Amino acid sequence: DIQMTQSPSILSASVGDRVTITCRASQSISRWLAWYQQKPGKAPKVLIYKASSLESGVPSRFSGSGSGTEFTLTISSLQPDDFATYYCQQYSSYSPLTFGGGTKVEIK
Amino acid sequence: QVQLVQSGAEVKKPGASVKVSCKASGYTFTSYYMYWVRQAPGQGLEWMGIINPSGGSTTYAQKFQGRVTMTRDTSTSTVYMELSSLRSEDTAVYYCARPYGGNSAGYCDCWGQGTLVTVSS
C-alpha cells in the first residue's frame, strides 16, 4: 500500500499569511495527487488534481506543486473561509486509494 | 447537475449490519465507478472499496474484506454499501464518492452528503 504522510497536522496562521502544507508518498506516484478541503460536517471538496491543476471554481490563491514522492499545497494569502482541514490523496493505485492524515488550519 | 444523495443516519447495535444507499443523478450511472470512504469522529478519510456500476465488480480494502458488500441497482442508479458484524469502531460518517472521468483510480469530483452510522449498545 502507498502511505501518505502529511505535515504539519495542525497549522496556526493569520488572515493574509502564506501557508504551505506538505504531503509525502511512500513510493513514487508521479503526479497522481489531489488536495481536498473539508469543513466540519461537510464532505471534502477537491481543490487541486494531478498535483498542480486547479479545480474549476477554486480561487487562484490555492496552488499545488510536486511530483514523485513530495508535494505541497500553498495558500498564497489565507482568507477567513480557508480555515478548514486539508487532505492529500494519491490515485496512482486505487487498491487501496490512500489519504494523508490531514492538516487542520486554525486561526492564530 | 451531478448529485449523490445518501440515505439517512443509522443507529445500530454491536454485531448488527447496516446498509447505506447512494442515489446518483445528473450523469450516466454506468459510466463511472463509485468509491465508499468513511471518516470516524475527529479522524481522517479511509477508503473502503470501489464498485463498477456497469458490471457490478468490486474491490474492497483488505481491512474490510469479509465484512463489506457493495452492490448496485442500475434501474434506480443507486449503489449500496453493507457493513456487517458492526463494532463501536465502525461509528463513522460514510461517504460515497465518484472518481473523475470514469477511471477506477481517480480523484473524487463529487461526494455524497455523508451518512452517520452510530454503533452503540
Side-chain angles (χ1 to χ4, degrees), chain A residues 37-53:
Chain A
Q37 177 191 68
Q38 187 180 33
K39 296 184 177 179
K42 300 293 187 183
K45 169 191 165 187
V46 64
L47 302 173
I48 302 284
Y49 61 93
K50 209 170 180 184
S52 61
S53 295

Side-chain angles (χ1 to χ4, degrees), chain A residues 34 36 38 41-46 49-50 55 87 89 91-101, chain B residues 35 37 39 43-47 50 59-62 95 100 104-109 111-114:
Chain A
Y36 299 88
Q38 187 180 33
K42 300 293 187 183
K45 169 191 165 187
V46 64
Y49 61 93
K50 209 170 180 184
E55 176 74 348
Y87 294 94
Q89 174 225 318
Y91 53 103
S92 172
S93 167
Y94 76 87
S95 189
L97 210 70
T98 46
F99 295 86
Chain B
Y35 297 143
V37 176
Q39 185 171 38
Q43 302 301 307
L45 301 163
E46 182 175 33
W47 184 83
I50 180 175
T59 300
Y60 303 134
Q62 189 170 12
Y95 293 102
Y100 174 79
S104 57
Y107 66 93
C108 302
D109 65 341
W111 295 69
Q113 82 276 20

Side-chain angles (χ1 to χ4, degrees), chain B residues 39-94:
Chain B
Q39 185 171 38
Q43 302 301 307
L45 301 163
E46 182 175 33
W47 184 83
M48 299 180 69
I50 180 175
I51 181 168
N52 181 348
S54 177
S57 61
T58 56
T59 300
Y60 303 134
Q62 189 170 12
K63 175 177 180 176
F64 301 102
Q65 290 272 4
R67 282 210 303 144
V68 70
T69 304
M70 297 177 188
T71 56
R72 94 292 189 214
D73 182 344
T74 56
S75 69
T76 59
S77 299
T78 302
V79 295
Y80 299 91
M81 186 284 300
E82 184 170 21
L83 189 62
S84 62
S85 302
L86 290 169
R87 34 212 190 227
S88 59
E89 310 90 88
D90 294 317
T91 293
V93 175
Y94 290 77

